[in-house]
PDB file of all heavy atoms in Angstrom:
ATOM      1  N   PHE A   1       0.813  -1.199   0.054  1.00  0.00           N
ATOM      2  CA  PHE A   1      -0.039  -0.003  -0.031  1.00  0.00           C
ATOM      3  C   PHE A   1       0.867   1.311   0.014  1.00  0.00           C
ATOM      4  O   PHE A   1       0.479   2.284  -0.609  1.00  0.00           O
ATOM      5  CB  PHE A   1      -0.968   0.002   1.249  1.00  0.00           C
ATOM      6  CG  PHE A   1      -2.066  -1.040   1.062  1.00  0.00           C
ATOM      7  CD1 PHE A   1      -1.967  -2.189   1.792  1.00  0.00           C
ATOM      8  CD2 PHE A   1      -3.089  -0.842   0.198  1.00  0.00           C
ATOM      9  CE1 PHE A   1      -2.922  -3.186   1.708  1.00  0.00           C
ATOM     10  CE2 PHE A   1      -4.130  -1.792   0.175  1.00  0.00           C
ATOM     11  CZ  PHE A   1      -4.016  -2.974   0.872  1.00  0.00           C
ATOM     12  N   LYS A   2       2.014   1.205   0.600  1.00  0.00           N
ATOM     13  CA  LYS A   2       2.861   2.326   0.682  1.00  0.00           C
ATOM     14  C   LYS A   2       4.079   2.163  -0.366  1.00  0.00           C
ATOM     15  O   LYS A   2       4.820   3.078  -0.427  1.00  0.00           O
ATOM     16  CB  LYS A   2       3.484   2.380   2.101  1.00  0.00           C
ATOM     17  CG  LYS A   2       2.447   2.670   3.216  1.00  0.00           C
ATOM     18  CD  LYS A   2       3.298   2.806   4.562  1.00  0.00           C
ATOM     19  CE  LYS A   2       2.313   3.072   5.622  1.00  0.00           C
ATOM     20  NZ  LYS A   2       2.976   3.237   6.993  1.00  0.00           N
ATOM     21  N   SER A   3       4.035   1.213  -1.064  1.00  0.00           N
ATOM     22  CA  SER A   3       5.070   0.984  -2.133  1.00  0.00           C
ATOM     23  C   SER A   3       6.493   1.154  -1.449  1.00  0.00           C
ATOM     24  O   SER A   3       7.347   1.784  -2.000  1.00  0.00           O
ATOM     25  CB  SER A   3       4.970   2.007  -3.247  1.00  0.00           C
ATOM     26  OG  SER A   3       3.742   1.834  -3.903  1.00  0.00           O
ATOM     27  N   ALA A   4       6.622   0.388  -0.350  1.00  0.00           N
ATOM     28  CA  ALA A   4       7.894   0.494   0.476  1.00  0.00           C
ATOM     29  C   ALA A   4       8.345  -0.941   0.750  1.00  0.00           C
ATOM     30  O   ALA A   4       7.547  -1.929   0.925  1.00  0.00           O
ATOM     31  CB  ALA A   4       7.620   1.206   1.733  1.00  0.00           C
ATOM     32  N   VAL A   5       9.681  -1.026   0.915  1.00  0.00           N
ATOM     33  CA  VAL A   5      10.340  -2.198   1.318  1.00  0.00           C
ATOM     34  C   VAL A   5      11.226  -1.875   2.566  1.00  0.00           C
ATOM     35  O   VAL A   5      11.774  -0.717   2.491  1.00  0.00           O
ATOM     36  CB  VAL A   5      11.129  -2.889   0.223  1.00  0.00           C
ATOM     37  CG1 VAL A   5      12.225  -2.006  -0.318  1.00  0.00           C
ATOM     38  CG2 VAL A   5      11.686  -4.187   0.682  1.00  0.00           C
ATOM     39  N   TYR A   6      11.285  -2.714   3.499  1.00  0.00           N
ATOM     40  CA  TYR A   6      11.914  -2.377   4.659  1.00  0.00           C
ATOM     41  C   TYR A   6      13.016  -3.457   4.998  1.00  0.00           C
ATOM     42  O   TYR A   6      12.907  -4.642   4.556  1.00  0.00           O
ATOM     43  CB  TYR A   6      11.065  -2.391   5.956  1.00  0.00           C
ATOM     44  CG  TYR A   6       9.904  -1.374   5.689  1.00  0.00           C
ATOM     45  CD1 TYR A   6       8.703  -1.890   5.360  1.00  0.00           C
ATOM     46  CD2 TYR A   6      10.088  -0.019   5.826  1.00  0.00           C
ATOM     47  CE1 TYR A   6       7.553  -0.935   5.142  1.00  0.00           C
ATOM     48  CE2 TYR A   6       9.043   0.870   5.623  1.00  0.00           C
ATOM     49  CZ  TYR A   6       7.771   0.408   5.337  1.00  0.00           C
ATOM     50  OH  TYR A   6       6.741   1.214   5.077  1.00  0.00           O
ATOM     51  N   LEU A   7      14.070  -3.113   5.733  1.00  0.00           N
ATOM     52  CA  LEU A   7      15.052  -4.074   6.208  1.00  0.00           C
ATOM     53  C   LEU A   7      15.249  -3.786   7.599  1.00  0.00           C
ATOM     54  O   LEU A   7      15.853  -2.794   8.025  1.00  0.00           O
ATOM     55  CB  LEU A   7      16.423  -3.943   5.403  1.00  0.00           C
ATOM     56  CG  LEU A   7      17.413  -4.962   5.791  1.00  0.00           C
ATOM     57  CD1 LEU A   7      16.983  -6.357   5.325  1.00  0.00           C
ATOM     58  CD2 LEU A   7      18.820  -4.679   5.144  1.00  0.00           C
ATOM     59  N   GLN A   8      14.803  -4.694   8.495  1.00  0.00           N
ATOM     60  CA  GLN A   8      14.961  -4.519   9.922  1.00  0.00           C
ATOM     61  C   GLN A   8      16.228  -5.299  10.257  1.00  0.00           C
ATOM     62  O   GLN A   8      16.385  -6.457   9.938  1.00  0.00           O
ATOM     63  CB  GLN A   8      13.759  -5.150  10.652  1.00  0.00           C
ATOM     64  CG  GLN A   8      14.007  -5.259  12.186  1.00  0.00           C
ATOM     65  CD  GLN A   8      13.906  -3.803  12.722  1.00  0.00           C
ATOM     66  OE1 GLN A   8      13.144  -2.981  12.429  1.00  0.00           O
ATOM     67  NE2 GLN A   8      14.762  -3.552  13.753  1.00  0.00           N
ATOM     68  N   MET A   9      17.237  -4.546  10.849  1.00  0.00           N
ATOM     69  CA  MET A   9      18.466  -5.140  11.193  1.00  0.00           C
ATOM     70  C   MET A   9      18.691  -5.156  12.637  1.00  0.00           C
ATOM     71  O   MET A   9      18.717  -4.084  13.299  1.00  0.00           O
ATOM     72  CB  MET A   9      19.550  -4.312  10.490  1.00  0.00           C
ATOM     73  CG  MET A   9      19.454  -4.169   8.932  1.00  0.00           C
ATOM     74  SD  MET A   9      20.774  -3.314   8.125  1.00  0.00           S
ATOM     75  CE  MET A   9      20.675  -1.670   8.817  1.00  0.00           C
ATOM     76  N   ASP A  10      18.863  -6.323  13.265  1.00  0.00           N
ATOM     77  CA  ASP A  10      19.044  -6.451  14.666  1.00  0.00           C
ATOM     78  C   ASP A  10      20.377  -7.137  14.958  1.00  0.00           C
ATOM     79  O   ASP A  10      20.943  -7.693  14.031  1.00  0.00           O
ATOM     80  CB  ASP A  10      17.833  -7.294  15.307  1.00  0.00           C
ATOM     81  CG  ASP A  10      16.479  -6.670  15.141  1.00  0.00           C
ATOM     82  OD1 ASP A  10      16.342  -5.443  15.247  1.00  0.00           O
ATOM     83  OD2 ASP A  10      15.603  -7.437  14.787  1.00  0.00           O
ATOM     84  N   SER A  11      20.753  -7.014  16.103  1.00  0.00           N
ATOM     85  CA  SER A  11      22.102  -7.673  16.573  1.00  0.00           C
ATOM     86  C   SER A  11      23.203  -7.286  15.551  1.00  0.00           C
ATOM     87  O   SER A  11      23.849  -8.195  15.077  1.00  0.00           O
ATOM     88  CB  SER A  11      21.921  -9.211  16.633  1.00  0.00           C
ATOM     89  OG  SER A  11      20.919  -9.556  17.554  1.00  0.00           O
ATOM     90  N   LEU A  12      23.284  -6.060  15.240  1.00  0.00           N
ATOM     91  CA  LEU A  12      24.213  -5.528  14.298  1.00  0.00           C
ATOM     92  C   LEU A  12      25.646  -5.770  14.767  1.00  0.00           C
ATOM     93  O   LEU A  12      25.975  -5.735  15.890  1.00  0.00           O
ATOM     94  CB  LEU A  12      23.974  -4.106  13.982  1.00  0.00           C
ATOM     95  CG  LEU A  12      22.829  -3.808  13.043  1.00  0.00           C
ATOM     96  CD1 LEU A  12      22.307  -2.370  13.095  1.00  0.00           C
ATOM     97  CD2 LEU A  12      23.157  -4.058  11.628  1.00  0.00           C
ATOM     98  N   LYS A  13      26.546  -6.034  13.813  1.00  0.00           N
ATOM     99  CA  LYS A  13      27.905  -6.379  14.139  1.00  0.00           C
ATOM    100  C   LYS A  13      28.695  -5.350  13.263  1.00  0.00           C
ATOM    101  O   LYS A  13      28.288  -4.716  12.244  1.00  0.00           O
ATOM    102  CB  LYS A  13      28.355  -7.727  13.558  1.00  0.00           C
ATOM    103  CG  LYS A  13      27.393  -8.836  14.193  1.00  0.00           C
ATOM    104  CD  LYS A  13      27.822 -10.129  13.564  1.00  0.00           C
ATOM    105  CE  LYS A  13      26.956 -11.327  14.100  1.00  0.00           C
ATOM    106  NZ  LYS A  13      27.322 -12.579  13.540  1.00  0.00           N
ATOM    107  N   PRO A  14      29.989  -5.020  13.628  1.00  0.00           N
ATOM    108  CA  PRO A  14      30.835  -4.146  12.881  1.00  0.00           C
ATOM    109  C   PRO A  14      30.970  -4.498  11.448  1.00  0.00           C
ATOM    110  O   PRO A  14      31.058  -3.685  10.541  1.00  0.00           O
ATOM    111  CB  PRO A  14      32.103  -4.215  13.727  1.00  0.00           C
ATOM    112  CG  PRO A  14      31.696  -4.531  15.145  1.00  0.00           C
ATOM    113  CD  PRO A  14      30.545  -5.421  14.947  1.00  0.00           C
ATOM    114  N   GLU A  15      30.967  -5.774  11.179  1.00  0.00           N
ATOM    115  CA  GLU A  15      31.130  -6.259   9.840  1.00  0.00           C
ATOM    116  C   GLU A  15      29.939  -6.002   8.940  1.00  0.00           C
ATOM    117  O   GLU A  15      29.975  -6.104   7.741  1.00  0.00           O
ATOM    118  CB  GLU A  15      31.510  -7.737   9.716  1.00  0.00           C
ATOM    119  CG  GLU A  15      30.503  -8.651  10.545  1.00  0.00           C
ATOM    120  CD  GLU A  15      31.134  -8.971  11.931  1.00  0.00           C
ATOM    121  OE1 GLU A  15      31.726  -8.011  12.682  1.00  0.00           O
ATOM    122  OE2 GLU A  15      31.078 -10.165  12.245  1.00  0.00           O
ATOM    123  N   ASP A  16      28.831  -5.534   9.550  1.00  0.00           N
ATOM    124  CA  ASP A  16      27.608  -5.077   8.782  1.00  0.00           C
ATOM    125  C   ASP A  16      27.783  -3.598   8.271  1.00  0.00           C
ATOM    126  O   ASP A  16      26.909  -3.214   7.584  1.00  0.00           O
ATOM    127  CB  ASP A  16      26.331  -5.114   9.708  1.00  0.00           C
ATOM    128  CG  ASP A  16      26.044  -6.572   9.996  1.00  0.00           C
ATOM    129  OD1 ASP A  16      26.153  -7.414   9.230  1.00  0.00           O
ATOM    130  OD2 ASP A  16      25.637  -6.826  11.214  1.00  0.00           O
ATOM    131  N   THR A  17      28.896  -2.960   8.706  1.00  0.00           N
ATOM    132  CA  THR A  17      29.099  -1.739   8.200  1.00  0.00           C
ATOM    133  C   THR A  17      29.281  -1.643   6.720  1.00  0.00           C
ATOM    134  O   THR A  17      30.119  -2.356   6.181  1.00  0.00           O
ATOM    135  CB  THR A  17      30.351  -1.083   8.887  1.00  0.00           C
ATOM    136  OG1 THR A  17      30.187  -0.957  10.302  1.00  0.00           O
ATOM    137  CG2 THR A  17      30.822   0.234   8.334  1.00  0.00           C
ATOM    138  N   ALA A  18      28.489  -0.820   6.058  1.00  0.00           N
ATOM    139  CA  ALA A  18      28.492  -0.814   4.603  1.00  0.00           C
ATOM    140  C   ALA A  18      27.491   0.342   4.121  1.00  0.00           C
ATOM    141  O   ALA A  18      26.731   0.837   4.945  1.00  0.00           O
ATOM    142  CB  ALA A  18      28.029  -2.050   3.982  1.00  0.00           C
ATOM    143  N   THR A  19      27.441   0.610   2.863  1.00  0.00           N
ATOM    144  CA  THR A  19      26.410   1.375   2.216  1.00  0.00           C
ATOM    145  C   THR A  19      25.410   0.405   1.764  1.00  0.00           C
ATOM    146  O   THR A  19      25.799  -0.556   0.970  1.00  0.00           O
ATOM    147  CB  THR A  19      26.959   2.205   1.088  1.00  0.00           C
ATOM    148  OG1 THR A  19      27.941   3.106   1.581  1.00  0.00           O
ATOM    149  CG2 THR A  19      25.882   2.990   0.406  1.00  0.00           C
ATOM    150  N   TYR A  20      24.222   0.585   2.098  1.00  0.00           N
ATOM    151  CA  TYR A  20      23.107  -0.332   1.778  1.00  0.00           C
ATOM    152  C   TYR A  20      22.234   0.269   0.552  1.00  0.00           C
ATOM    153  O   TYR A  20      21.901   1.454   0.701  1.00  0.00           O
ATOM    154  CB  TYR A  20      22.209  -0.628   2.940  1.00  0.00           C
ATOM    155  CG  TYR A  20      22.832  -1.535   3.990  1.00  0.00           C
ATOM    156  CD1 TYR A  20      23.984  -1.123   4.673  1.00  0.00           C
ATOM    157  CD2 TYR A  20      22.420  -2.824   4.151  1.00  0.00           C
ATOM    158  CE1 TYR A  20      24.565  -1.999   5.585  1.00  0.00           C
ATOM    159  CE2 TYR A  20      23.013  -3.701   4.999  1.00  0.00           C
ATOM    160  CZ  TYR A  20      24.155  -3.229   5.704  1.00  0.00           C
ATOM    161  OH  TYR A  20      24.763  -4.173   6.661  1.00  0.00           O
ATOM    162  N   TYR A  21      22.006  -0.480  -0.381  1.00  0.00           N
ATOM    163  CA  TYR A  21      21.352  -0.038  -1.538  1.00  0.00           C
ATOM    164  C   TYR A  21      19.997  -0.871  -1.748  1.00  0.00           C
ATOM    165  O   TYR A  21      20.030  -2.134  -1.638  1.00  0.00           O
ATOM    166  CB  TYR A  21      22.170  -0.303  -2.806  1.00  0.00           C
ATOM    167  CG  TYR A  21      23.392   0.509  -2.888  1.00  0.00           C
ATOM    168  CD1 TYR A  21      24.670  -0.081  -2.343  1.00  0.00           C
ATOM    169  CD2 TYR A  21      23.438   1.780  -3.324  1.00  0.00           C
ATOM    170  CE1 TYR A  21      25.788   0.710  -2.315  1.00  0.00           C
ATOM    171  CE2 TYR A  21      24.654   2.554  -3.424  1.00  0.00           C
ATOM    172  CZ  TYR A  21      25.764   2.054  -2.915  1.00  0.00           C
ATOM    173  OH  TYR A  21      26.965   2.756  -3.006  1.00  0.00           O
ATOM    174  N   CYS A  22      18.974  -0.079  -2.090  1.00  0.00           N
ATOM    175  CA  CYS A  22      17.668  -0.702  -2.466  1.00  0.00           C
ATOM    176  C   CYS A  22      17.766  -1.012  -3.971  1.00  0.00           C
ATOM    177  O   CYS A  22      18.345  -0.363  -4.784  1.00  0.00           O
ATOM    178  CB  CYS A  22      16.609   0.278  -2.130  1.00  0.00           C
ATOM    179  SG  CYS A  22      14.977  -0.274  -2.412  1.00  0.00           S
ATOM    180  N   ASN A  23      17.031  -2.164  -4.222  1.00  0.00           N
ATOM    181  CA  ASN A  23      17.085  -2.658  -5.670  1.00  0.00           C
ATOM    182  C   ASN A  23      15.722  -3.055  -6.065  1.00  0.00           C
ATOM    183  O   ASN A  23      14.909  -3.664  -5.332  1.00  0.00           O
ATOM    184  CB  ASN A  23      18.018  -3.880  -5.770  1.00  0.00           C
ATOM    185  CG  ASN A  23      17.902  -4.594  -7.059  1.00  0.00           C
ATOM    186  OD1 ASN A  23      17.177  -5.612  -7.197  1.00  0.00           O
ATOM    187  ND2 ASN A  23      18.695  -4.214  -8.109  1.00  0.00           N
ATOM    188  N   ILE A  24      15.390  -2.802  -7.290  1.00  0.00           N
ATOM    189  CA  ILE A  24      14.214  -3.384  -8.015  1.00  0.00           C
ATOM    190  C   ILE A  24      14.591  -3.850  -9.306  1.00  0.00           C
ATOM    191  O   ILE A  24      15.432  -3.284 -10.011  1.00  0.00           O
ATOM    192  CB  ILE A  24      13.102  -2.244  -8.031  1.00  0.00           C
ATOM    193  CG1 ILE A  24      11.730  -2.890  -8.597  1.00  0.00           C
ATOM    194  CG2 ILE A  24      13.509  -1.132  -8.996  1.00  0.00           C
ATOM    195  CD1 ILE A  24      10.606  -1.966  -8.588  1.00  0.00           C
ATOM    196  N   LYS A  25      14.044  -5.126  -9.599  1.00  0.00           N
ATOM    197  CA  LYS A  25      14.235  -5.707 -10.875  1.00  0.00           C
ATOM    198  C   LYS A  25      12.997  -5.486 -11.831  1.00  0.00           C
ATOM    199  O   LYS A  25      11.943  -5.915 -11.424  1.00  0.00           O
ATOM    200  CB  LYS A  25      14.481  -7.151 -10.765  1.00  0.00           C
ATOM    201  CG  LYS A  25      15.799  -7.461 -10.036  1.00  0.00           C
ATOM    202  CD  LYS A  25      16.071  -8.991  -9.929  1.00  0.00           C
ATOM    203  CE  LYS A  25      17.277  -9.295  -9.056  1.00  0.00           C
ATOM    204  NZ  LYS A  25      18.500  -8.678  -9.660  1.00  0.00           N
ATOM    205  N   LEU A  26      13.189  -4.833 -12.835  1.00  0.00           N
ATOM    206  CA  LEU A  26      12.155  -4.564 -13.934  1.00  0.00           C
ATOM    207  C   LEU A  26      12.574  -5.406 -15.209  1.00  0.00           C
ATOM    208  O   LEU A  26      13.403  -4.957 -15.916  1.00  0.00           O
ATOM    209  CB  LEU A  26      11.924  -3.162 -14.233  1.00  0.00           C
ATOM    210  CG  LEU A  26      11.533  -2.285 -13.112  1.00  0.00           C
ATOM    211  CD1 LEU A  26      11.293  -0.849 -13.458  1.00  0.00           C
ATOM    212  CD2 LEU A  26      10.361  -2.731 -12.285  1.00  0.00           C
ATOM    213  N   GLY A  27      11.958  -6.646 -15.354  1.00  0.00           N
ATOM    214  CA  GLY A  27      12.428  -7.430 -16.365  1.00  0.00           C
ATOM    215  C   GLY A  27      13.788  -7.902 -16.105  1.00  0.00           C
ATOM    216  O   GLY A  27      14.048  -8.640 -15.143  1.00  0.00           O
ATOM    217  N   ILE A  28      14.671  -7.685 -17.020  1.00  0.00           N
ATOM    218  CA  ILE A  28      16.159  -8.072 -16.856  1.00  0.00           C
ATOM    219  C   ILE A  28      17.022  -6.881 -16.275  1.00  0.00           C
ATOM    220  O   ILE A  28      18.196  -7.040 -16.233  1.00  0.00           O
ATOM    221  CB  ILE A  28      16.755  -8.620 -18.113  1.00  0.00           C
ATOM    222  CG1 ILE A  28      16.715  -7.490 -19.192  1.00  0.00           C
ATOM    223  CG2 ILE A  28      15.916  -9.854 -18.619  1.00  0.00           C
ATOM    224  CD1 ILE A  28      17.511  -7.871 -20.460  1.00  0.00           C
ATOM    225  N   THR A  29      16.328  -5.719 -16.057  1.00  0.00           N
ATOM    226  CA  THR A  29      17.145  -4.552 -15.631  1.00  0.00           C
ATOM    227  C   THR A  29      17.012  -4.310 -14.135  1.00  0.00           C
ATOM    228  O   THR A  29      16.003  -4.248 -13.601  1.00  0.00           O
ATOM    229  CB  THR A  29      16.563  -3.370 -16.393  1.00  0.00           C
ATOM    230  OG1 THR A  29      16.702  -3.550 -17.798  1.00  0.00           O
ATOM    231  CG2 THR A  29      17.424  -2.066 -16.118  1.00  0.00           C
ATOM    232  N   ASP A  30      18.270  -4.027 -13.620  1.00  0.00           N
ATOM    233  CA  ASP A  30      18.359  -3.709 -12.245  1.00  0.00           C
ATOM    234  C   ASP A  30      18.328  -2.147 -11.951  1.00  0.00           C
ATOM    235  O   ASP A  30      19.124  -1.560 -12.751  1.00  0.00           O
ATOM    236  CB  ASP A  30      19.539  -4.240 -11.559  1.00  0.00           C
ATOM    237  CG  ASP A  30      19.459  -5.770 -11.180  1.00  0.00           C
ATOM    238  OD1 ASP A  30      18.527  -6.106 -10.439  1.00  0.00           O
ATOM    239  OD2 ASP A  30      20.196  -6.482 -11.861  1.00  0.00           O
TER     240      ASP A  30
END
């Protein structure tokens, strides 16, 4: 309904440090 996707991240670790990117696949195109 909100056209939204979420990522709940718990118990985070230092190795989770990164830039996080949202992705959508339309056909064969990212």
Side-chain angles (χ1 to χ4, degrees):
F1 291 103
K2 296 182 179 180
S3 298
V5 62
Y6 306 101
L7 184 68
Q8 177 66 41
M9 305 186 294
D10 299 320
S11 302
L12 282 160
K13 303 176 181 180
E15 51 263 44
D16 295 318
T17 295
T19 298
Y20 285 70
Y21 296 90
C22 182
N23 167 271
I24 186 170
K25 296 183 184 297
L26 301 181
I28 61 171
T29 303
D30 284 298

